[in-house]
Amino acid sequence: MSDISSAQTPSSTTAQPAAGASLRPNRSRQFLVTLFGVYPIITLILYLVLPLTAGWPIWQTTLIVTPLMVAIMVFWMIPQIQKRFAGFIMRPVRR
């Protein structure tokens, strides 16, 4: 019985911030990193889509570009930013 109570739970083995400090994203830094990621991607998408949609109303072109950009952001760019720039973006919460 004592073996069960002395076993570590999954939550006790995960890394925690030191001394109870919690982290949250610094929105300004997150904005900058996201901006530098979005700009080249949206520019590339526009270079690819605009010749195919020449003469279309802007709302129709935007209807094509928006789902592409959102999918790239959600499934690739944001996870990469979180993985590669976490040390730059995440800051301790001030109390």
Side-chain angles (χ1 to χ4, degrees):
M1 191 66 126
S2 64
D3 292 334
I4 295 172
S5 62
S6 65
Q8 290 183 338
T9 61
S11 63
S12 66
T13 60
T14 59
Q16 297 293 325
S22 59
L23 298 174
R24 69 176 178 158
N26 179 307
R27 297 293 179 187
S28 299
R29 292 180 179 197
Q30 188 173 14
F31 167 80
L32 286 175
V33 174
T34 304
L35 177 67
F36 288 127
V38 166
Y39 179 78
I41 294 170
I42 196 69
T43 302
L44 177 65
I45 291 172
L46 289 172
Y47 270 116
L48 296 173
V49 170
L50 286 178
L52 302 173
T53 60
W56 289 19
I58 192 71
W59 70 269
Q60 290 176 343
T61 303
T62 306
L63 191 61
I64 300 297
V65 170
T66 303
L68 290 172
M69 188 65 214
V70 171
I72 289 169
M73 287 182 68
V74 169
F75 295 110
W76 181 76
M77 193 181 79
I78 298 299
Q80 291 299 314
I81 287 172
Q82 290 172 343
K83 184 168 95 174
R84 298 178 190 271
F85 295 98
F88 178 70
I89 294 172
M90 300 304 283
R91 294 289 172 226
V93 175
R94 294 182 186 161
R95 295 185 187 233

